[in-house]
């Protein structure tokens, strides 16, 4: 059973940076599509970014983070995916969730239907 654990959240200032990590246990992630979603207080969970399986490498970004966030896979650790967040804004404040879709189902994941979810990590950006 794949379990996803996020880390790297915390407090950042406006314009600052954070790097989130998603580490899997029970399996490597190279054959999974992996993505990040977020949920701000009082709002619905929304997608942020996703990356296809290692063989494919296609990436998706929501318009609100395009050019500021970068999703990537660790070149050595096949069970880790990162979300590099730069030029952070207060509206990026949310709980960030890692998600994975078995079989590299990137579109399914991007539609919010992954097969696995992490527990989330809080990101707070002060103005």
């Amino acid at each position: 059973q794949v379990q996803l654990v996020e880390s790297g959240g915390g407090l950042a200032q406006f314009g600052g940076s954070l790097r989130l990590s998603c580490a899997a246990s029970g399996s490597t992630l190279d054959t999974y599509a992996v993505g990040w979603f977020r949920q701000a207080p009082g709002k619905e969970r929304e997608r942020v970014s996703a990356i296809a399986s290692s063989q494919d490498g296609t990436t998706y970004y929501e318009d609100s983070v395009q050019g500021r966030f970068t999703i990537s896979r660790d070149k050595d650790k096949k069970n880790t995916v990162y979300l590099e967040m730069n030029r952070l804004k207060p509206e990026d404040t949310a709980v960030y969730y890692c998600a994975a879709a078995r079989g590299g189902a990137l579109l399914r994941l991007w539609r919010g239907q992954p097969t696995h979810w992490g527990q989330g990590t809080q990101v707070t950006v002060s103005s």
Side-chain angles (χ1 to χ4, degrees):
Q1 180 71 7
V2 175
Q3 290 188 320
L4 305 175
V5 178
E6 303 93 336
S7 61
L11 179 64
Q13 291 187 335
F14 177 80
S17 300
L18 285 173
R19 187 176 79 162
L20 304 183
S21 299
C22 173
S25 60
S27 175
T28 59
L29 289 176
D30 50 336
T31 61
Y32 286 73
V34 182
W36 291 91
F37 294 75
R38 66 187 182 187
Q39 187 168 19
K43 295 187 177 181
E44 292 187 355
R45 185 156 53 189
E46 63 176 4
R47 60 194 186 191
V48 175
S49 181
I51 188 167
S53 64
S54 296
Q55 189 174 11
D56 181 332
T58 299
T59 56
Y60 289 169
Y61 295 95
E62 197 62 14
D63 288 346
S64 58
V65 305
Q66 179 75 48
R68 300 189 298 121
F69 290 11
T70 303
I71 191 170
S72 64
R73 292 180 178 273
D74 190 294
K75 291 180 172 52
D76 297 317
K77 301 176 186 176
K78 293 186 177 181
N79 69 331
T80 304
V81 170
Y82 302 107
L83 183 68
E84 184 77 32
M85 305 187 296
N86 298 313
R87 305 203 313 270
L88 284 163
K89 305 175 181 179
E91 50 263 45
D92 294 319
T93 295
V95 177
Y96 283 70
Y97 297 90
C98 177
R102 188 181 298 117
L106 180 62
L107 288 178
R108 171 178 173 170
L109 183 146
W110 196 234
R111 287 196 294 262
Q113 298 172 330
T115 51
H116 301 86
W117 286 100
Q119 293 299 308
T121 185
Q122 176 71 46
V123 170
T124 303
V125 183
S126 62
S127 57

